[in-house]
Amino acid sequence: FKRHIIKLLSLNINWNQSYESYKTTLNGGYENLKEVWSKTMIFINNNNLKSIENGPMLELYITDPTSTPNPADWKTELFIATQ
């Protein structure tokens, strides 16, 4: 699977507050999600960044397995609120 991390300006999804966040994109099957979450947190910690304790963390499923049957074509975005 391929992974990349992009810093976003803000995350504002049904909260009354905006958050700076990091986005990781997983291209591949859901069985890789645990590893991608772990590597994203390691990246944040190794780069002297801080996630917000009890802050929002989201998984956004860009593709749908019913319309995209090949797991190699699945795309999931992870968002972690940072300070």
Side-chain angles (χ1 to χ4, degrees):
F1 64 91
K2 293 186 256 178
R3 173 182 66 83
H4 64 274
I5 298 175
I6 301 171
K7 185 174 183 177
L8 300 178
L9 295 176
S10 66
L11 171 64
N12 190 356
I13 301 176
N14 286 338
W15 288 293
N16 292 328
Q17 190 172 3
S18 291
Y19 296 92
E20 184 172 303
S21 64
Y22 274 82
K23 171 183 152 187
T24 303
T25 301
L26 166 64
N27 295 301
Y30 299 147
E31 71 275 4
N32 298 308
L33 279 169
K34 183 176 180 179
E35 180 181 0
V36 172
W37 275 109
S38 176
K39 287 185 175 185
T40 301
M41 295 307 290
I42 290 169
F43 174 87
I44 287 171
N45 291 329
N46 286 347
N47 288 279
N48 297 319
L49 305 169
K50 289 189 164 214
S51 60
I52 297 174
E53 188 173 340
N54 299 317
M57 295 183 179
L58 303 173
E59 287 182 8
L60 183 60
Y61 302 96
I62 304 302
T63 55
D64 178 359
T66 58
S67 61
T68 309
N70 184 352
D73 296 328
W74 295 354
K75 183 175 178 180
T76 307
E77 295 176 342
L78 312 178
F79 294 86
I80 299 173
T82 58
Q83 322 188 35

mmCIF file with all atom_site columns, all heavy atoms in Angstrom, residues 64-83:
data_model
loop_
_atom_site.group_PDB
_atom_site.id
_atom_site.type_symbol
_atom_site.label_atom_id
_atom_site.label_alt_id
_atom_site.label_comp_id
_atom_site.label_asym_id
_atom_site.label_entity_id
_atom_site.label_seq_id
_atom_site.pdbx_PDB_ins_code
_atom_site.Cartn_x
_atom_site.Cartn_y
_atom_site.Cartn_z
_atom_site.occupancy
_atom_site.B_iso_or_equiv
_atom_site.pdbx_formal_charge
_atom_site.auth_seq_id
_atom_site.auth_comp_id
_atom_site.auth_asym_id
_atom_site.auth_atom_id
_atom_site.pdbx_PDB_model_num
ATOM 1   N N   . ASP A 1 64 ? -16.069 3.001  -2.138 1.00 0.00 ? 64 ASP A N   1
ATOM 2   C CA  . ASP A 1 64 ? -17.029 2.068  -1.560 1.00 0.00 ? 64 ASP A CA  1
ATOM 3   C C   . ASP A 1 64 ? -16.728 0.666  -2.089 1.00 0.00 ? 64 ASP A C   1
ATOM 4   O O   . ASP A 1 64 ? -16.708 0.461  -3.306 1.00 0.00 ? 64 ASP A O   1
ATOM 5   C CB  . ASP A 1 64 ? -18.431 2.512  -1.969 1.00 0.00 ? 64 ASP A CB  1
ATOM 6   C CG  . ASP A 1 64 ? -19.527 1.601  -1.472 1.00 0.00 ? 64 ASP A CG  1
ATOM 7   O OD1 . ASP A 1 64 ? -19.229 0.592  -0.810 1.00 0.00 ? 64 ASP A OD1 1
ATOM 8   O OD2 . ASP A 1 64 ? -20.696 1.908  -1.750 1.00 0.00 ? 64 ASP A OD2 1
ATOM 9   N N   . PRO A 1 65 ? -16.474 -0.299 -1.198 1.00 0.00 ? 65 PRO A N   1
ATOM 10  C CA  . PRO A 1 65 ? -16.156 -1.660 -1.663 1.00 0.00 ? 65 PRO A CA  1
ATOM 11  C C   . PRO A 1 65 ? -17.235 -2.282 -2.554 1.00 0.00 ? 65 PRO A C   1
ATOM 12  O O   . PRO A 1 65 ? -16.921 -3.138 -3.374 1.00 0.00 ? 65 PRO A O   1
ATOM 13  C CB  . PRO A 1 65 ? -16.003 -2.455 -0.374 1.00 0.00 ? 65 PRO A CB  1
ATOM 14  C CG  . PRO A 1 65 ? -15.645 -1.450 0.651  1.00 0.00 ? 65 PRO A CG  1
ATOM 15  C CD  . PRO A 1 65 ? -16.369 -0.194 0.243  1.00 0.00 ? 65 PRO A CD  1
ATOM 16  N N   . THR A 1 66 ? -18.470 -1.844 -2.429 1.00 0.00 ? 66 THR A N   1
ATOM 17  C CA  . THR A 1 66 ? -19.509 -2.419 -3.284 1.00 0.00 ? 66 THR A CA  1
ATOM 18  C C   . THR A 1 66 ? -19.394 -1.935 -4.731 1.00 0.00 ? 66 THR A C   1
ATOM 19  O O   . THR A 1 66 ? -19.744 -2.652 -5.657 1.00 0.00 ? 66 THR A O   1
ATOM 20  C CB  . THR A 1 66 ? -20.928 -2.106 -2.757 1.00 0.00 ? 66 THR A CB  1
ATOM 21  O OG1 . THR A 1 66 ? -21.091 -0.696 -2.665 1.00 0.00 ? 66 THR A OG1 1
ATOM 22  C CG2 . THR A 1 66 ? -21.142 -2.738 -1.392 1.00 0.00 ? 66 THR A CG2 1
ATOM 23  N N   . SER A 1 67 ? -18.874 -0.718 -4.929 1.00 0.00 ? 67 SER A N   1
ATOM 24  C CA  . SER A 1 67 ? -18.699 -0.215 -6.290 1.00 0.00 ? 67 SER A CA  1
ATOM 25  C C   . SER A 1 67 ? -17.252 -0.326 -6.772 1.00 0.00 ? 67 SER A C   1
ATOM 26  O O   . SER A 1 67 ? -16.992 -0.177 -7.963 1.00 0.00 ? 67 SER A O   1
ATOM 27  C CB  . SER A 1 67 ? -19.169 1.243  -6.381 1.00 0.00 ? 67 SER A CB  1
ATOM 28  O OG  . SER A 1 67 ? -18.404 2.055  -5.526 1.00 0.00 ? 67 SER A OG  1
ATOM 29  N N   . THR A 1 68 ? -16.329 -0.561 -5.846 1.00 0.00 ? 68 THR A N   1
ATOM 30  C CA  . THR A 1 68 ? -14.908 -0.728 -6.177 1.00 0.00 ? 68 THR A CA  1
ATOM 31  C C   . THR A 1 68 ? -14.443 -2.035 -5.530 1.00 0.00 ? 68 THR A C   1
ATOM 32  O O   . THR A 1 68 ? -13.931 -2.025 -4.407 1.00 0.00 ? 68 THR A O   1
ATOM 33  C CB  . THR A 1 68 ? -14.079 0.459  -5.642 1.00 0.00 ? 68 THR A CB  1
ATOM 34  O OG1 . THR A 1 68 ? -14.684 1.677  -6.071 1.00 0.00 ? 68 THR A OG1 1
ATOM 35  C CG2 . THR A 1 68 ? -12.640 0.410  -6.133 1.00 0.00 ? 68 THR A CG2 1
ATOM 36  N N   . PRO A 1 69 ? -14.641 -3.169 -6.186 1.00 0.00 ? 69 PRO A N   1
ATOM 37  C CA  . PRO A 1 69 ? -14.399 -4.464 -5.543 1.00 0.00 ? 69 PRO A CA  1
ATOM 38  C C   . PRO A 1 69 ? -12.930 -4.790 -5.261 1.00 0.00 ? 69 PRO A C   1
ATOM 39  O O   . PRO A 1 69 ? -12.640 -5.569 -4.358 1.00 0.00 ? 69 PRO A O   1
ATOM 40  C CB  . PRO A 1 69 ? -15.007 -5.472 -6.515 1.00 0.00 ? 69 PRO A CB  1
ATOM 41  C CG  . PRO A 1 69 ? -15.126 -4.765 -7.811 1.00 0.00 ? 69 PRO A CG  1
ATOM 42  C CD  . PRO A 1 69 ? -15.220 -3.301 -7.507 1.00 0.00 ? 69 PRO A CD  1
ATOM 43  N N   . ASN A 1 70 ? -12.003 -4.191 -5.975 1.00 0.00 ? 70 ASN A N   1
ATOM 44  C CA  . ASN A 1 70 ? -10.588 -4.502 -5.782 1.00 0.00 ? 70 ASN A CA  1
ATOM 45  C C   . ASN A 1 70 ? -10.020 -3.671 -4.634 1.00 0.00 ? 70 ASN A C   1
ATOM 46  O O   . ASN A 1 70 ? -9.904  -2.446 -4.743 1.00 0.00 ? 70 ASN A O   1
ATOM 47  C CB  . ASN A 1 70 ? -9.806  -4.221 -7.070 1.00 0.00 ? 70 ASN A CB  1
ATOM 48  C CG  . ASN A 1 70 ? -8.350  -4.606 -6.969 1.00 0.00 ? 70 ASN A CG  1
ATOM 49  O OD1 . ASN A 1 70 ? -7.853  -4.961 -5.905 1.00 0.00 ? 70 ASN A OD1 1
ATOM 50  N ND2 . ASN A 1 70 ? -7.656  -4.540 -8.089 1.00 0.00 ? 70 ASN A ND2 1
ATOM 51  N N   . PRO A 1 71 ? -9.603  -4.316 -3.509 1.00 0.00 ? 71 PRO A N   1
ATOM 52  C CA  . PRO A 1 71 ? -9.062  -3.562 -2.370 1.00 0.00 ? 71 PRO A CA  1
ATOM 53  C C   . PRO A 1 71 ? -7.864  -2.682 -2.723 1.00 0.00 ? 71 PRO A C   1
ATOM 54  O O   . PRO A 1 71 ? -7.641  -1.663 -2.078 1.00 0.00 ? 71 PRO A O   1
ATOM 55  C CB  . PRO A 1 71 ? -8.662  -4.648 -1.376 1.00 0.00 ? 71 PRO A CB  1
ATOM 56  C CG  . PRO A 1 71 ? -9.510  -5.814 -1.729 1.00 0.00 ? 71 PRO A CG  1
ATOM 57  C CD  . PRO A 1 71 ? -9.698  -5.743 -3.223 1.00 0.00 ? 71 PRO A CD  1
ATOM 58  N N   . ALA A 1 72 ? -7.118  -3.035 -3.743 1.00 0.00 ? 72 ALA A N   1
ATOM 59  C CA  . ALA A 1 72 ? -5.970  -2.205 -4.148 1.00 0.00 ? 72 ALA A CA  1
ATOM 60  C C   . ALA A 1 72 ? -6.418  -0.832 -4.631 1.00 0.00 ? 72 ALA A C   1
ATOM 61  O O   . ALA A 1 72 ? -5.630  0.114  -4.620 1.00 0.00 ? 72 ALA A O   1
ATOM 62  C CB  . ALA A 1 72 ? -5.173  -2.921 -5.236 1.00 0.00 ? 72 ALA A CB  1
ATOM 63  N N   . ASP A 1 73 ? -7.688  -0.712 -5.016 1.00 0.00 ? 73 ASP A N   1
ATOM 64  C CA  . ASP A 1 73 ? -8.214  0.564  -5.504 1.00 0.00 ? 73 ASP A CA  1
ATOM 65  C C   . ASP A 1 73 ? -8.955  1.360  -4.436 1.00 0.00 ? 73 ASP A C   1
ATOM 66  O O   . ASP A 1 73 ? -9.455  2.450  -4.711 1.00 0.00 ? 73 ASP A O   1
ATOM 67  C CB  . ASP A 1 73 ? -9.161  0.309  -6.686 1.00 0.00 ? 73 ASP A CB  1
ATOM 68  C CG  . ASP A 1 73 ? -8.441  -0.306 -7.873 1.00 0.00 ? 73 ASP A CG  1
ATOM 69  O OD1 . ASP A 1 73 ? -7.249  -0.010 -8.073 1.00 0.00 ? 73 ASP A OD1 1
ATOM 70  O OD2 . ASP A 1 73 ? -9.087  -1.092 -8.603 1.00 0.00 ? 73 ASP A OD2 1
ATOM 71  N N   . TRP A 1 74 ? -9.036  0.836  -3.232 1.00 0.00 ? 74 TRP A N   1
ATOM 72  C CA  . TRP A 1 74 ? -9.745  1.538  -2.166 1.00 0.00 ? 74 TRP A CA  1
ATOM 73  C C   . TRP A 1 74 ? -8.912  2.705  -1.661 1.00 0.00 ? 74 TRP A C   1
ATOM 74  O O   . TRP A 1 74 ? -7.686  2.642  -1.598 1.00 0.00 ? 74 TRP A O   1
ATOM 75  C CB  . TRP A 1 74 ? -10.051 0.607  -0.999 1.00 0.00 ? 74 TRP A CB  1
ATOM 76  C CG  . TRP A 1 74 ? -10.991 -0.505 -1.340 1.00 0.00 ? 74 TRP A CG  1
ATOM 77  C CD1 . TRP A 1 74 ? -11.665 -0.695 -2.509 1.00 0.00 ? 74 TRP A CD1 1
ATOM 78  C CD2 . TRP A 1 74 ? -11.329 -1.605 -0.508 1.00 0.00 ? 74 TRP A CD2 1
ATOM 79  N NE1 . TRP A 1 74 ? -12.411 -1.840 -2.448 1.00 0.00 ? 74 TRP A NE1 1
ATOM 80  C CE2 . TRP A 1 74 ? -12.230 -2.422 -1.227 1.00 0.00 ? 74 TRP A CE2 1
ATOM 81  C CE3 . TRP A 1 74 ? -10.973 -1.986 0.779  1.00 0.00 ? 74 TRP A CE3 1
ATOM 82  C CZ2 . TRP A 1 74 ? -12.760 -3.587 -0.707 1.00 0.00 ? 74 TRP A CZ2 1
ATOM 83  C CZ3 . TRP A 1 74 ? -11.504 -3.142 1.301  1.00 0.00 ? 74 TRP A CZ3 1
ATOM 84  C CH2 . TRP A 1 74 ? -12.399 -3.935 0.578  1.00 0.00 ? 74 TRP A CH2 1
ATOM 85  N N   . LYS A 1 75 ? -9.597  3.760  -1.264 1.00 0.00 ? 75 LYS A N   1
ATOM 86  C CA  . LYS A 1 75 ? -8.912  4.960  -0.756 1.00 0.00 ? 75 LYS A CA  1
ATOM 87  C C   . LYS A 1 75 ? -9.600  5.384  0.538  1.00 0.00 ? 75 LYS A C   1
ATOM 88  O O   . LYS A 1 75 ? -10.825 5.542  0.590  1.00 0.00 ? 75 LYS A O   1
ATOM 89  C CB  . LYS A 1 75 ? -8.998  6.082  -1.788 1.00 0.00 ? 75 LYS A CB  1
ATOM 90  C CG  . LYS A 1 75 ? -8.260  7.338  -1.390 1.00 0.00 ? 75 LYS A CG  1
ATOM 91  C CD  . LYS A 1 75 ? -8.295  8.332  -2.535 1.00 0.00 ? 75 LYS A CD  1
ATOM 92  C CE  . LYS A 1 75 ? -7.601  9.622  -2.149 1.00 0.00 ? 75 LYS A CE  1
ATOM 93  N NZ  . LYS A 1 75 ? -7.620  10.593 -3.244 1.00 0.00 ? 75 LYS A NZ  1
ATOM 94  N N   . THR A 1 76 ? -8.789  5.563  1.593  1.00 0.00 ? 76 THR A N   1
ATOM 95  C CA  . THR A 1 76 ? -9.279  5.996  2.909  1.00 0.00 ? 76 THR A CA  1
ATOM 96  C C   . THR A 1 76 ? -8.402  7.153  3.370  1.00 0.00 ? 76 THR A C   1
ATOM 97  O O   . THR A 1 76 ? -7.180  7.085  3.267  1.00 0.00 ? 76 THR A O   1
ATOM 98  C CB  . THR A 1 76 ? -9.203  4.846  3.931  1.00 0.00 ? 76 THR A CB  1
ATOM 99  O OG1 . THR A 1 76 ? -9.857  3.703  3.408  1.00 0.00 ? 76 THR A OG1 1
ATOM 100 C CG2 . THR A 1 76 ? -9.831  5.249  5.251  1.00 0.00 ? 76 THR A CG2 1
ATOM 101 N N   . GLU A 1 77 ? -9.027  8.206  3.891  1.00 0.00 ? 77 GLU A N   1
ATOM 102 C CA  . GLU A 1 77 ? -8.277  9.335  4.425  1.00 0.00 ? 77 GLU A CA  1
ATOM 103 C C   . GLU A 1 77 ? -8.437  9.368  5.939  1.00 0.00 ? 77 GLU A C   1
ATOM 104 O O   . GLU A 1 77 ? -9.543  9.217  6.459  1.00 0.00 ? 77 GLU A O   1
ATOM 105 C CB  . GLU A 1 77 ? -8.778  10.641 3.803  1.00 0.00 ? 77 GLU A CB  1
ATOM 106 C CG  . GLU A 1 77 ? -8.508  10.701 2.320  1.00 0.00 ? 77 GLU A CG  1
ATOM 107 C CD  . GLU A 1 77 ? -9.066  11.933 1.656  1.00 0.00 ? 77 GLU A CD  1
ATOM 108 O OE1 . GLU A 1 77 ? -9.954  12.608 2.218  1.00 0.00 ? 77 GLU A OE1 1
ATOM 109 O OE2 . GLU A 1 77 ? -8.585  12.238 0.534  1.00 0.00 ? 77 GLU A OE2 1
ATOM 110 N N   . LEU A 1 78 ? -7.329  9.546  6.635  1.00 0.00 ? 78 LEU A N   1
ATOM 111 C CA  . LEU A 1 78 ? -7.314  9.649  8.091  1.00 0.00 ? 78 LEU A CA  1
ATOM 112 C C   . LEU A 1 78 ? -6.969  11.086 8.451  1.00 0.00 ? 78 LEU A C   1
ATOM 113 O O   . LEU A 1 78 ? -6.045  11.674 7.878  1.00 0.00 ? 78 LEU A O   1
ATOM 114 C CB  . LEU A 1 78 ? -6.261  8.722  8.693  1.00 0.00 ? 78 LEU A CB  1
ATOM 115 C CG  . LEU A 1 78 ? -6.245  7.280  8.200  1.00 0.00 ? 78 LEU A CG  1
ATOM 116 C CD1 . LEU A 1 78 ? -5.109  6.520  8.875  1.00 0.00 ? 78 LEU A CD1 1
ATOM 117 C CD2 . LEU A 1 78 ? -7.562  6.599  8.436  1.00 0.00 ? 78 LEU A CD2 1
ATOM 118 N N   . PHE A 1 79 ? -7.681  11.646 9.415  1.00 0.00 ? 79 PHE A N   1
ATOM 119 C CA  . PHE A 1 79 ? -7.429  13.006 9.869  1.00 0.00 ? 79 PHE A CA  1
ATOM 120 C C   . PHE A 1 79 ? -7.167  12.982 11.374 1.00 0.00 ? 79 PHE A C   1
ATOM 121 O O   . PHE A 1 79 ? -7.929  12.369 12.126 1.00 0.00 ? 79 PHE A O   1
ATOM 122 C CB  . PHE A 1 79 ? -8.643  13.913 9.603  1.00 0.00 ? 79 PHE A CB  1
ATOM 123 C CG  . PHE A 1 79 ? -8.926  14.130 8.150  1.00 0.00 ? 79 PHE A CG  1
ATOM 124 C CD1 . PHE A 1 79 ? -9.716  13.235 7.441  1.00 0.00 ? 79 PHE A CD1 1
ATOM 125 C CD2 . PHE A 1 79 ? -8.405  15.232 7.506  1.00 0.00 ? 79 PHE A CD2 1
ATOM 126 C CE1 . PHE A 1 79 ? -9.994  13.441 6.102  1.00 0.00 ? 79 PHE A CE1 1
ATOM 127 C CE2 . PHE A 1 79 ? -8.680  15.449 6.154  1.00 0.00 ? 79 PHE A CE2 1
ATOM 128 C CZ  . PHE A 1 79 ? -9.471  14.543 5.462  1.00 0.00 ? 79 PHE A CZ  1
ATOM 129 N N   . ILE A 1 80 ? -6.114  13.665 11.804 1.00 0.00 ? 80 ILE A N   1
ATOM 130 C CA  . ILE A 1 80 ? -5.768  13.764 13.222 1.00 0.00 ? 80 ILE A CA  1
ATOM 131 C C   . ILE A 1 80 ? -5.593  15.241 13.547 1.00 0.00 ? 80 ILE A C   1
ATOM 132 O O   . ILE A 1 80 ? -4.769  15.923 12.941 1.00 0.00 ? 80 ILE A O   1
ATOM 133 C CB  . ILE A 1 80 ? -4.472  12.992 13.548 1.00 0.00 ? 80 ILE A CB  1
ATOM 134 C CG1 . ILE A 1 80 ? -4.668  11.510 13.226 1.00 0.00 ? 80 ILE A CG1 1
ATOM 135 C CG2 . ILE A 1 80 ? -4.073  13.203 15.005 1.00 0.00 ? 80 ILE A CG2 1
ATOM 136 C CD1 . ILE A 1 80 ? -3.418  10.678 13.357 1.00 0.00 ? 80 ILE A CD1 1
ATOM 137 N N   . ALA A 1 81 ? -6.385  15.723 14.507 1.00 0.00 ? 81 ALA A N   1
ATOM 138 C CA  . ALA A 1 81 ? -6.285  17.119 14.925 1.00 0.00 ? 81 ALA A CA  1
ATOM 139 C C   . ALA A 1 81 ? -4.944  17.350 15.627 1.00 0.00 ? 81 ALA A C   1
ATOM 140 O O   . ALA A 1 81 ? -4.524  16.546 16.446 1.00 0.00 ? 81 ALA A O   1
ATOM 141 C CB  . ALA A 1 81 ? -7.437  17.481 15.851 1.00 0.00 ? 81 ALA A CB  1
ATOM 142 N N   . THR A 1 82 ? -4.281  18.440 15.273 1.00 0.00 ? 82 THR A N   1
ATOM 143 C CA  . THR A 1 82 ? -2.981  18.775 15.861 1.00 0.00 ? 82 THR A CA  1
ATOM 144 C C   . THR A 1 82 ? -3.005  20.192 16.406 1.00 0.00 ? 82 THR A C   1
ATOM 145 O O   . THR A 1 82 ? -3.876  20.990 16.080 1.00 0.00 ? 82 THR A O   1
ATOM 146 C CB  . THR A 1 82 ? -1.859  18.639 14.820 1.00 0.00 ? 82 THR A CB  1
ATOM 147 O OG1 . THR A 1 82 ? -2.146  19.495 13.721 1.00 0.00 ? 82 THR A OG1 1
ATOM 148 C CG2 . THR A 1 82 ? -1.693  17.210 14.341 1.00 0.00 ? 82 THR A CG2 1
ATOM 149 N N   . GLN A 1 83 ? -2.007  20.477 17.232 1.00 0.00 ? 83 GLN A N   1
ATOM 150 C CA  . GLN A 1 83 ? -1.874  21.830 17.787 1.00 0.00 ? 83 GLN A CA  1
ATOM 151 C C   . GLN A 1 83 ? -0.737  22.554 17.096 1.00 0.00 ? 83 GLN A C   1
ATOM 152 O O   . GLN A 1 83 ? 0.228   21.980 16.747 1.00 0.00 ? 83 GLN A O   1
ATOM 153 C CB  . GLN A 1 83 ? -1.540  21.795 19.269 1.00 0.00 ? 83 GLN A CB  1
ATOM 154 C CG  . GLN A 1 83 ? -2.212  20.753 20.028 1.00 0.00 ? 83 GLN A CG  1
ATOM 155 C CD  . GLN A 1 83 ? -1.971  20.897 21.527 1.00 0.00 ? 83 GLN A CD  1
ATOM 156 O OE1 . GLN A 1 83 ? -1.883  21.988 22.062 1.00 0.00 ? 83 GLN A OE1 1
ATOM 157 N NE2 . GLN A 1 83 ? -1.890  19.794 22.193 1.00 0.00 ? 83 GLN A NE2 1
#
